[in-house]
Amino acid sequence: MPVLNESRRAGDFVLSEANGNLSRDSIVIDTGVHLPGTVLGKVTATGKHVALAPAATDGSQNAAAVLRAHADATVGDVNAVGYTRLAEVRADLLVWPVGISDEDKTEALQVLAGAFILAR
């Protein structure tokens, strides 16, 4: 019997969130293909979200949201939903940039905790 692998599903990393849509905001993804649970930064000049970039200086070096569902912005901006406050997430299911250091992860998690997005 063949082994089937299920892909990541929207919100599969969320342990709890506030009632209704209080934890979520509509966001715009600027570039790239992102899985649910991707930690995002927000470019200050445009207000658009991109994958967290710890070495950047445009605002995207600061964690601002966690992406709820798959987003493909390879051909242009795409609307998406991000957790921006009041949520508990599974730390082991968050998606980080390749090569991110443990120190940068810790800093990003502290910034998210400031918005009451807690990794467990």
Side-chain angles (χ1 to χ4, degrees):
M1 177 177 270
V3 174
L4 301 176
N5 292 314
E6 192 171 337
S7 62
R8 301 280 309 260
R9 290 182 278 167
D12 65 353
F13 58 93
V14 177
L15 295 170
S16 68
E17 62 181 291
N19 288 339
N21 290 323
L22 187 59
S23 297
R24 305 174 191 182
D25 277 321
S26 294
I27 61 175
V28 176
I29 304 295
D30 190 10
T31 59
V33 177
H34 307 288
L35 296 172
T38 298
V39 179
L40 302 171
K42 185 176 183 179
V43 177
T44 306
T46 64
K48 297 176 184 177
H49 288 75
V50 297
L52 181 69
T57 59
D58 61 358
S60 64
Q61 72 274 17
N62 302 314
V66 180
L67 185 63
R68 183 174 193 287
H70 181 267
D72 183 352
T74 53
V75 289
D77 296 350
V78 65
N79 293 322
V81 173
Y83 289 95
T84 57
R85 66 190 157 278
L86 302 172
E88 289 179 295
V89 296
R90 286 186 52 181
D92 62 322
L93 293 181
L94 294 179
V95 178
W96 298 99
V98 175
I100 189 170
S101 70
D102 289 339
E103 293 82 18
D104 287 337
K105 280 185 187 180
T106 300
E107 183 178 331
L109 291 172
Q110 288 173 343
V111 171
L112 290 174
F116 300 100
I117 300 174
L118 306 176
R120 305 283 189 200

